[in-house]
Amino acid sequence: MSDEPDWLRIHKALAVEAQYNYTDLQGQQYRFSEFLSLSFGKPPAHTSFDDRNHWRNLAFEFADYHNLTLADRKELLSKASQFLTFAEEVAAKKRHHPTAPVSAANDSAQSPPQSNIATLQPTKKVLPPVSSIVRENSGNLELGRSLRDIPSIGIRKADILSKLGLFTVKDVLYYYPRDHIDYAKQVNIIELEPGETVTLVGIIHKFNFFTSPKNKKLNVLDITLKDETGHLKISRFYAGTRYSNRGWQETLKRKYPVGSWVAASGLVKQGKYGLNLDNPELEVLSEGDTSISSLKIGRVLPVYPLVEGVSADTIREAVVIVLPATEKLKDPLPKVVREQYGLIDLPTAIRHIHFPEDSDTKEAARRRLIFDEFFYLQLGFLQRRHLLRQIQTEAVIKPTGILIDRFNEILPFQLTKAQLRVVGEILGDLEKTAPMNRLVQGDVGSGKTVVAVMAILAAIQSGYQTALMAPTEVLAEQHYRKLVGWFNLLHIPVELLTGSSKIAKRRQIYRELETGELSIAVGTHALIQDKVNFRNLGLVVIDEQHRFGVFQRAKLQQKGSQPHVLTMTATPIPRTLALTLHGDLDVSQIDELPAGRQPIQTTAMNNRQRTQVYELMKREIAQGRQVYIVLPLIEESEKLDLRAATEEHERLATEVFPEFKVGLLHGRMSSADKDAALSDFRDNVTQIIVSTTVIEVGVDVPNASVMLIENAERFGLSQLHQLRGRVGRGEHRSFCFLMSSSSSNDAKQRLQVLEQSQDGFWISEMDMQLRGPGQVLGTRQSGLADFALASLAQDEEVLTIARDAAEKVILQDKDLSQSPGLKAELDYRFQKLMGGSILT
Ligand code: ADP
Ligand code: MG
């Protein structure tokens, strides 16, 4: 009977081991514990899924036998012996009725076995606590220990985990789940009730994948699940033609093979053809794997952020293994602070964030850990700020001088009060011996560029070089033009350095920057290349700074010795958020638009009103104005996107506006072509420009008065506001039309925000509420703000107390020399977050 365990031999081994006082006897081939572990590792064929878990749990417990106390060993042996008797009976039944579903799942291994056999009742899966499933020798679980050195993880899995940046025990403890699936509320198919969120565990009975005959873009995965009580069809939807292919079908087939066990979790709905689960979470339960299956069913299961090539189970298993190490975790946060803010202790929080007992323990854990995320970030900022204050810059810049005077004379307009105030703040910083680190926030069109130019001139007239970096070539080129216009009058040479600068030009710029001949370079990322060296860089200006990563900003800064740094952004963010994201910066606000700006009349509309829009455009152009037509990026493919843009351009140029010149601008054009398209538009050679979102940032053509944004529902509000800011820059009355074919209420509501408001702050606040800050600010920014748990929109209260707590700490202990625990934790976190110390 090859597929059955040697029952007798196992019984005998148990008896002998007990007789010899649980000393883990060495047999001919194996030690007692090894033999038992091996035997329980091979359940007989046809063992039910749940019973397999019992087999495996026992296998694990025996693998850990040498770590157990005498009492634990005794208990394990008696448990094993009972289970064995019971399992033997199940196997005997199976031999007689091979098709009957047999389950012992109502029972745990310790309870009397006789009552549980061959039941057809809906089963409730009761499992031992997670901690009893996998155990690692606690001596192996030092917090700093490399995962590679932990036997139950092993080198192969440790290497896989390193892809997630997890190298040590502590790293895994701090790898928080992004969600939990409540497998605890597990029901059988027969028990489903509409309106409840539940988990079912069943076998995939049928698999069907097809493209909807009505909608070619909609692909449907139909799976029929079967458990002991019935069948249920569940569907998942994949929108987009990229899924309508065999490749995807095969992928899904491999992912969800017929016959495999899956857990499906979701909301029960009453559909046309009976009950179903609404687009559920599906997870294949790996039967072949070791212990992990039993980690899932009947539990609140953590769901971790994944990357390619790391399975959910690998992470869960590692977490379970290292979880006991929380005992070694010292909470660096003083008890008084915890009590003051009503926070639970760190070890408990970490245990409960992974495996909460219920939603209350989960919430308490989340609150504590979110506090930590904010607290250490603020602590880092405050400390950094403190340290930076002590650093001396070589560039002490005078706030007055001939260049600034002359510039004031040639400026064709008066600075607004807000501009004057911010210029004052900047010049004040530049005078100091500590390097400036200031962010200027100002809504689109508020006139940030002139403000930066003031700072640049101050630096130049004091004998320092400056660099102005912008995120796109289009924008860099535009700044360059503007600066050339002004600086020619002041006899200051300006050069433009971008990826597409010609080699000879580039060499010349490098040389002139090194000798100090050139005192201002405008450019893109090309400015941070290694070849670029300055003689005495005193001021760095970064426009649209949220589009750059932390490191790119730092890199430019390192081209000088502690230069002053001025950053600018047009994505205004609420104050609390600004503190969080830029806690180490001083923030200035240009909260006033230049006089004479008329509000942009914004209207959401649908296709039927299109002709009216075209008519209005024609009238505007007849009066000398110009027009933007913006097309969204179609995420599926850049090629499609390009084709859509070219086709639309063609249509507009030949059918709609044959009497005008229509230009085209998109990201795939060479930069010379982009330049040409933009300067044609700037010079009114073309009256209409059809563009993708390339024009989003910074393009400044005051004569343009109409913008039409196609498929506006696809953009975020802040992005629409930015786009819209391309018009209304001159004295003319301007219009923005938001074309949308979406009839969803949500989309309408969002577009209404723009119809009603011109206030970038309010709009971005609404946007963050509707989409979340990560989406709004882009992932780049998250270099710093990438919280595992915290949501900037929802956790403001915790943010405030964390900032408060951090300020108090720094007030008493500036360099954290009296709080080594906090300092160590801070270093650890910054290392993880930024791959460097807080001072790099
Ligand atoms: P943004 O803050 O969006 O970068 P810009 O610096 O590009 O705005 O300025 C927008 C336009 O307003 C430019 O044409 C600029 O010359 C003009 N401008 C800036 N300040 C003033 C002012 N105080 N009065 C009138 N026009 C101004
Ligand atoms: Mg700008």
Side-chain angles (χ1 to χ4, degrees), residues 49-50 101 119-125 186-192 198-206 224-233 260-264:
F49 184 65
D50 291 302
T119 169
L120 270 167
Q121 295 298 305
T123 52
K124 282 284 167 291
K125 336 271 179 180
Q186 193 191 325
V187 297
N188 291 89
I189 289 172
I190 205 167
E191 300 168 304
L192 290 178
V198 296
T199 294
L200 333 150
V201 172
I203 285 184
I204 296 185
H205 185 56
K206 279 188 195 142
T224 307
L225 279 190
K226 188 176 90 170
D227 74 3
E228 288 152 351
T229 67
H231 291 77
L232 177 76
K233 192 155 98 176
S260 60
W261 286 88
V262 293

Side-chain angles (χ1 to χ4, degrees), residues 456 460 465-470 475-485 487-488 492-498 501-502 504-513 516-524 526-527 532 534:
I456 289 171
I460 296 177
Q465 288 175 295
T466 60
L468 167 57
M469 182 160 78
L475 193 51
E477 138 88 20
Q478 175 169 297
H479 280 321
Y480 170 72
R481 275 168 177 269
K482 194 143 230 172
L483 262 60
V484 167
F487 285 20
N488 272 347
I492 304 169
V494 187
E495 294 290 357
L496 176 68
L497 184 65
T498 69
S501 304
K502 296 261 161 25
K505 187 74 192 171
R506 228 183 273 196
R507 290 216 180 106
Q508 177 211 328
I509 296 174
Y510 295 156
R511 201 175 49 242
E512 293 182 2
L513 286 176
E517 222 170 308
L518 185 62
S519 48
I520 161 92
V522 179
T524 55
L527 286 171
V532 182
F534 292 80

Side-chain angles (χ1 to χ4, degrees), residues 442-450 475 478-479 543-544 568-570 697-700 722 726 729:
D443 206 345
V444 194
S446 62
K448 294 183 289 294
T449 318
V450 242
L475 193 51
Q478 175 169 297
H479 280 321
D543 194 16
E544 307 289 344
M568 307 195 284
T569 183
V697 277
V699 174
D700 184 25
Q722 289 264 356
R726 300 310 112 215
R729 298 177 87 83

Side-chain angles (χ1 to χ4, degrees), residues 418-419 421-427 429 436-443 448 451 566-569 575 578 585-591 761:
Q419 282 171 318
R421 189 186 67 239
V422 173
V423 168
E425 285 165 353
I426 294 170
L427 294 179
D429 286 350
M436 168 170 78
N437 201 12
R438 185 172 288 278
L439 171 70
V440 172
Q441 284 190 11
D443 206 345
K448 294 183 289 294
V451 168
L566 179 64
T567 49
M568 307 195 284
T569 183
R575 200 185 132 70
L585 302 180
D586 296 307
V587 180
S588 291
Q589 216 106 254
I590 308 186
D591 46 11
F761 275 75

